[in-house]
Amino acid sequence: MAVSEALRQELLSAIPNLRAFAVSLCGNGERADDLVQETLMKAWAKFHTFQEGTNLRAWLFTILRNEFYSQVRKKGREVEDAEGAYAAKLASQPAQNGHMDLRDFNEALSQLPDDQREALVLVGASGFSYEEASEICDCAVGTIKSRVSRARTRLAELLALEEGETYGSDPMATTVITRSFS
């Protein structure tokens, strides 16, 4: 199938948004760039399966999300540390409360069910609207709202937060958590 110029331009215009979503998922700019590149390669190879007239952006975000989870499953919990840089960071003195808060937050976030964590990252951390997140996740808007609400409530429970209490010095964690009580 030949790709129309309009579709090609729409694909190119989606790249910055794909990168932002990738960064929000993996937290690393270089890894996000690799994820976006892999997404674009897969999309280009499977463009013949895309139905023109449907939402290209949602299709691309779905490919990116699926690729991210595939990579996570493949890597498991391995950490490559050939030169010992990661181990050296672990040996530093625990003087930074923010670091500990972030670790606790990430641990609590990892305990959420995949669908809740994904919805929370899209809406709470990446700034997507509920409607956009529902397109990306291929579910109803109400389902996304419910997942976000349950995720925020569960995070507050895991972090032992009381109503109105703030969490950590990390602005992203604060934004994601504090909306749970609003």
Side-chain angles (χ1 to χ4, degrees), residues 63-80:
I63 293 171
L64 187 140
R65 178 185 59 124
N66 291 343
E67 178 60 25
F68 172 74
Y69 285 126
S70 292
Q71 288 178 8
V72 168
R73 280 190 301 274
K74 287 178 187 175
K75 286 191 177 195
R77 294 204 170 258
E78 289 182 23
V79 175
E80 185 176 328

Side-chain angles (χ1 to χ4, degrees), residues 13-159:
S13 69
I15 292 174
N17 294 330
L18 287 170
R19 186 175 189 285
F21 182 49
V23 168
S24 74
L25 287 176
C26 59
N28 177 309
E30 289 178 14
R31 196 164 159 226
D33 289 339
D34 291 342
L35 185 58
V36 170
Q37 181 177 357
E38 187 65 30
T39 299
L40 293 173
M41 288 175 30
K42 287 186 176 203
W44 196 258
K46 297 291 185 178
F47 227 100
H48 65 278
T49 65
F50 177 72
Q51 296 176 349
E52 197 161 350
T54 60
N55 190 333
L56 177 66
R57 187 173 176 226
W59 185 68
L60 292 169
F61 273 81
T62 301
I63 293 171
L64 187 140
R65 178 185 59 124
N66 291 343
E67 178 60 25
F68 172 74
Y69 285 126
S70 292
Q71 288 178 8
V72 168
R73 280 190 301 274
K74 287 178 187 175
K75 286 191 177 195
R77 294 204 170 258
E78 289 182 23
V79 175
E80 185 176 328
D81 192 21
E83 297 182 17
Y86 184 70
K89 288 179 185 176
L90 294 175
S92 67
Q93 297 299 319
Q96 306 90 352
N97 290 336
H99 173 74
M100 301 302 286
D101 288 343
L102 181 60
R103 189 189 73 185
D104 292 344
F105 175 77
N106 283 333
E107 184 178 315
L109 189 65
S110 72
Q111 291 180 39
L112 295 177
D114 290 342
D115 60 342
Q116 289 180 16
R117 182 175 51 250
E118 178 181 59
L120 188 62
V121 166
L122 286 170
V123 174
S126 299
F128 283 94
S129 69
Y130 290 113
E131 292 77 15
E132 290 170 324
S134 73
E135 285 182 30
I136 292 165
C137 296
D138 192 29
C139 63
V141 174
T143 301
I144 289 294
K145 289 180 179 182
S146 175
R147 288 175 182 173
V148 169
S149 176
R150 288 190 315 246
R152 287 177 173 154
T153 300
R154 182 65 181 136
L155 273 178
E157 290 170 1
L158 290 169
L159 296 169

Side-chain angles (χ1 to χ4, degrees), residues 1-2 4 10 12 43-44 64 73 125 161 165 180:
M1 163 182 152
S4 72
E10 190 176 349
L12 291 174
W44 196 258
L64 187 140
R73 280 190 301 274
L161 296 178
E165 185 179 359
S180 65

